[in-house]
């Protein structure tokens, strides 16, 4: 049996990779769904909802990207056999 057989290789789609995809996809959905935040109220410290919601997603997107990157690193280490 060769080492390229399907049994010897880990699956391409794993639960960790699905979580990574969701972390990267969520900000796009949130920002492209303009109807959900195209309003003035509730204002936060006088800043209309439209603006502070988008700024909040800058922080959330950064955190989700960091989580996705760390999960990707862990996934790659596991696929290489735990080195480093």
């Amino acid at each position: 049996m060769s080492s390229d057989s399907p049994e010897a290789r880990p699956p391409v789609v794993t639960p960790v990779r699905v979580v990574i995809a969701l972390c990267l996809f969520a900000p796009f959905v949130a920002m492209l769904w303009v109807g959900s935040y195209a309003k003035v109220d509730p204002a936060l410290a006088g800043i209309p909802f439209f603006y502070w919601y988008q700024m909040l997603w800058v922080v959330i997107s950064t955190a989700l990207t960091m989580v996705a990157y760390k999960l990707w690193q862990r996934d790659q280490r596991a696929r290489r056999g735990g080195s480093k």
Side-chain angles (χ1 to χ4, degrees), residues 20-64:
I20 290 168
L22 290 174
C23 285
L24 296 175
F25 189 65
F28 287 103
V29 172
M31 291 293 91
L32 290 175
W33 186 19
V34 178
S36 70
Y37 63 91
K39 52 190 171 187
V40 175
D41 290 324
L44 180 67
I47 302 170
F49 180 75
F50 180 80
Y51 295 111
W52 69 256
Y53 180 81
Q54 289 180 34
M55 291 300 104
L56 178 65
W57 269 101
V58 169
V59 176
I60 294 169
S61 297
T62 302
L64 289 173

Side-chain angles (χ1 to χ4, degrees), residues 7-19:
E7 302 85 56
R9 298 173 70 195
V12 175
V13 178
T14 62
V16 171
R17 288 186 174 191
V18 171
V19 170

Side-chain angles (χ1 to χ4, degrees), residues 57-84:
W57 269 101
V58 169
V59 176
I60 294 169
S61 297
T62 302
L64 289 173
T65 302
M66 185 176 68
V67 167
Y69 177 70
K70 292 297 183 181
L71 287 172
W72 180 257
Q73 283 183 322
R74 191 175 80 178
D75 183 61
Q76 292 305 300
R77 272 195 306 270
R79 286 176 176 269
R80 284 192 302 256
S83 63
K84 190 176 180 185

